Amino acid sequence: MTESKEKVRYRIASIGGCFGTALMLSACAAGPDYHAPQSAALGVPDTYYGAGAAQPVSDADLAQWWSRLNDPTLSALIDKAIAGNLDIVQAQARLRQARESLIQTNAAFLPQLNGTATGGRNYSSQDAGGRLDANGNPIGGGGSNWSSSYSARVNASWQIDLFGELARGSEAARADLAASGYDLANVRMTIISELVTNYVQARLAHEQLRIARETQKVQEDNYRIAGWRLQAGLVSSLDEQQARAQLAQTNATIPQLEARLRSSLNRVAVLTGQAPGEATRALETPAPLPVASTQIATGIPADTLRQRPDVRSAERALAAATARIGVAQAQLYPALGISGNIGTTSNAFRDLFSLITGGIFGNVQQLIFDGGRLRSQVRSQRAATDAAFAAYKQSVLTAVEDVENAVAQLNSARARKAEFAVAFEASNNAAILARSQYQAGLIDFQTLLTSESTLLNARNSLASAQSDEVLAIAQLYNALGGGWQNMETQAR
């Protein structure tokens, strides 16, 4: 008898490559099995073009990259943003939704049970002479026109996952959950980068305001000197009017810089989940720009597939789309279900469970004709999977592009900072000489005006280059996928 059963099991397993569930018949998932695309299929180069020799980058370096800027105020703001930013809160809610969706999907593997219970009194205005209703209760009957009836029933149903429709659905839901986790990480990474950008812009506005106010004082002195020289008959009114115009132009830049500072501070407040205004009052006190780190490892492009959460989200979306091909394809095959019920009926509550009835049934359902609807759904899902693959490859190539652009921006900022430092030193020396020579009457005011305008431009350009270097570092770490490595990407 045992040998006969083994033969039956073998035959069942050989039909369509499926193994038995129920009567030794288990599920065989329809559709293709997912395998992550290799780097060669994604067009990933071996090294970054503009980054020079590849140096390995660790998760520890990426996790809190902003700490390398040595600015405790910035680090504290990022902590606030991670805890209170409303975009992050929304992404966390979407992650919890994905977790519940997976639970709902997995519930389909288990039998579904529901129960009903009724009880009541029946009335008949006439004696029915001992006649009974469909439930065996007397109609009217005897000396009373009232009778009782009670019933209880439990129904059960279970879908046998013969061809893996439920398994593929669960696979897709797990991939969706992982993608939602990476989407949360990407939102967090983006918020950190945006916060650093606005913080640096605020500090740049502070620096440019300092430069403008210092220049304002010098130009006020020039205006007074020009007025004295005019009164002494040493120069014409041209010098005085040029000095007045120069001072007015500098004065006009200050409100613009103050507005730029306020805009950056307002954005910082919102990014930390607070209303603009009082939340950033402490940041109104001027402070220097963060100090940029000198060495940044970029690793190799293949690391991007692991480091970038948006790339990993796109890969999980591809896995989910592939699994849904199996969901659509399984609907073409027979569906096996088991259902059953158990119940009891009585005209007295104490006798409710004296007689119990029940049954168990099996059913097989197979589509015969639907005008090609289900096969069209399979083709549609295959097209969706092709689109998901293209989106995944696009995200990989975009990530490589982001790194290359960030490296180029960083190299440019550092080269410009070095040259502007030289320009600032030379123009400062020239302005000091021009001021003393003008006071001595050796040069005209136009020469002084030119030298001081050159100095002002050099100071502003140097400050901009310093901020551009920090912003390029933030852009590079964002392109490398930094800022989420120590966070949970699964819903609790």
Side-chain angles (χ1 to χ4, degrees), residues 13 51 54 86 153 221 249 261 313 317 319 376 393 402 436 439 454:
L86 297 180
R153 177 176 294 273
D221 288 341
Q249 289 176 348
L261 171 62
S313 176
S376 176
K393 184 174 181 179
D402 290 344
S436 63
Q439 292 174 353
T454 301

Side-chain angles (χ1 to χ4, degrees), residues 209-219 459:
L209 278 169
R210 183 182 69 83
I211 293 171
R213 285 168 178 148
E214 289 178 357
T215 303
Q216 185 184 51
K217 292 179 180 179
V218 171
Q219 291 174 351
R459 294 183 71 183

Side-chain angles (χ1 to χ4, degrees), residues 65-66 74 77-91 94 183-199 267-273 309 474 478 482-484 487:
W65 59 265
W66 54 89
L74 175 59
L77 287 171
I78 291 176
D79 290 340
K80 287 183 179 179
I82 292 173
N85 180 268
L86 297 180
D87 287 329
I88 293 178
V89 172
Q90 293 177 63
R94 289 191 292 270
D183 288 342
L184 168 59
N186 190 53
V187 170
R188 167 173 161 158
M189 189 180 74
T190 302
I191 294 302
I192 291 172
S193 178
E194 187 178 356
L195 180 59
V196 172
T197 297
N198 282 274
Y199 179 82
R267 188 60 189 155
V268 167
V270 173
L271 288 171
T272 56
N478 189 66
W484 67 278
M487 69 168 284

Side-chain angles (χ1 to χ4, degrees), residues 90-133:
Q90 293 177 63
Q92 289 171 336
R94 289 191 292 270
L95 178 58
R96 293 197 302 272
Q97 283 182 296
R99 167 64 67 186
E100 298 305 321
S101 179
L102 176 60
I103 293 174
Q104 295 165 27
T105 299
N106 287 340
F109 286 100
L110 303 175
Q112 306 298 304
L113 301 176
N114 62 79
T116 60
T118 62
R121 297 276 288 169
N122 302 315
Y123 174 78
S124 176
S125 62
Q126 296 181 355
D127 187 347
R131 288 185 296 130
L132 303 178
D133 63 14

Side-chain angles (χ1 to χ4, degrees), residues 334-357:
L336 173 61
I338 297 176
S339 61
N341 62 78
I342 185 171
T344 180
T345 301
S346 176
N347 60 359
F349 186 77
R350 64 179 179 275
D351 298 327
L352 182 60
F353 297 102
S354 61
L355 177 63
I356 298 176
T357 60

Side-chain angles (χ1 to χ4, degrees), residues 5-68:
K5 288 182 178 179
E6 291 298 329
K7 290 180 179 179
V8 172
R9 292 175 186 173
Y10 174 78
R11 288 172 186 155
I12 294 174
S14 65
I15 296 175
C18 295
F19 299 94
T21 56
L23 299 174
M24 303 308 296
L25 189 64
S26 66
C28 177
D33 292 329
Y34 175 74
H35 300 284
Q38 299 298 313
S39 297
L42 299 171
V44 179
D46 294 332
T47 59
Y48 288 113
Y49 178 77
Q55 298 178 357
V57 55
S58 66
D59 288 346
D61 291 336
L62 292 173
Q64 291 188 317
W65 59 265
W66 54 89
S67 62
R68 303 184 68 183

